Amino acid sequence: MRSLIGAVVGACCLSAPALAETPAAIVEDVQGKVDGIAFMDYVAPGRIIKLGPKASITLSYLKSCLRETISEGVVLVGTEQSTVQLGDVKREKVPCDTNAAKLSDREANQSAATTFRTMRSDAKGAPAKLPTLYGVAPLVQAKSGSTLVIERTDGKEPTISVPLKSETMVGGKFYDFAKAGKSLTPGGSYLAILGTKRYAFQIDASATSSPTPIVGRLLRLE
């Protein structure tokens, strides 16, 4: 068994440097001994994760919306799912929107009016869908030290202004609305403001306050 693990790790290491460092998944949970990996870490394609006896890890893939719970063994992170040797993996497809996980520079840098004008309809004139979150309590990635402002754009709702202090952020880079006891309205359209940048998104109409997978409510602004 040890020789097999060594062979898998050796083969993976040969290909890892050639793969892009763009994050493929986020770590939702870690149980037991998992060296070099922590809750809310991003992992890139080619990353090798060795799970000790009785250890497990939960990965949520940003592109495929697959949520994997892996127990023991050796894990090779892919672009849309993992390859697992000598361990068990359970996969489920969860509601998520890759456009919400990482908004484009075009959306991020335009003014609010321009953003909504360009996103209001597609090439055929049909209404365009805003990036969607599937939980009412967003998990926002942004730099600490700034101020996050959330404004509703399709109705009246109190503006939310949050100083992003390092002591209130998970892992120093995520502001969790659920942890802060704040939430948005199902079906609502919003603008997230960070300095001069504007990010348009919406909350799915069926979103609830029940715990939801991180990847379904992740809004990466930085």
Side-chain angles (χ1 to χ4, degrees):
M1 181 176 291
R2 290 181 180 177
S3 61
L4 179 56
I5 293 176
V8 170
V9 172
C12 293
C13 286
L14 292 175
S15 61
L19 296 174
E21 290 299 315
T22 301
I26 189 169
V27 179
E28 283 207 26
D29 187 51
V30 179
Q31 299 292 330
K33 184 179 180 181
V34 186
D35 293 336
I37 293 292
F39 172 62
M40 296 302 291
D41 278 352
Y42 284 116
V43 289
R47 179 69 182 269
I48 297 163
I49 305 169
K50 291 186 284 186
L51 306 180
K54 298 183 180 180
S56 66
I57 187 171
T58 299
L59 299 177
S60 283
Y61 275 83
L62 305 178
K63 183 178 180 180
S64 64
C65 299
L66 279 180
R67 188 169 187 255
E68 300 179 335
T69 300
I70 305 166
S71 302
E72 302 185 349
V74 180
V75 181
L76 172 63
V77 177
T79 56
E80 297 188 15
Q81 68 177 45
S82 305
T83 298
V84 180
Q85 295 286 340
L86 307 180
D88 296 321
V89 57
K90 295 180 180 179
R91 295 186 176 95
E92 62 174 331
K93 191 87 167 180
V94 299
C96 86
D97 186 343
T98 57
N99 291 322
K102 179 57 177 172
L103 297 181
S104 71
D105 290 338
R106 178 186 63 78
E107 291 163 5
N109 291 317
Q110 289 180 327
S111 69
T114 305
T115 296
F116 282 105
R117 184 167 61 251
T118 57
M119 296 183 69
R120 188 174 297 129
S121 61
D122 60 19
K124 297 181 180 180
K129 183 181 179 183
L130 291 173
T132 303
L133 300 184
Y134 291 87
V136 296
L139 179 71
V140 181
Q141 179 186 340
K143 291 181 180 179
S144 61
S146 56
T147 297
L148 172 66
V149 177
I150 302 291
E151 294 181 352
R152 185 158 183 181
T153 59
D154 64 342
K156 294 183 178 180
E157 197 167 302
T159 297
I160 297 175
S161 182
V162 180
L164 299 179
K165 300 178 180 180
S166 57
E167 61 268 24
T168 64
M169 301 183 74
V170 180
K173 58 184 178 182
F174 296 97
Y175 183 82
D176 192 346
F177 274 59
K179 186 176 180 181
K182 303 178 185 295
S183 63
L184 304 181
T185 302
S189 296
Y190 293 88
L191 199 65
I193 304 171
L194 274 177
T196 60
K197 294 183 177 181
R198 305 290 189 268
Y199 305 82
F201 68 98
Q202 67 182 2
I203 303 297
D204 186 72
S206 61
T208 69
S209 58
S210 301
T212 56
I214 286 174
V215 72
R217 60 188 186 93
L218 178 62
L219 191 65
R220 295 174 64 195
L221 305 186
E222 297 286 353

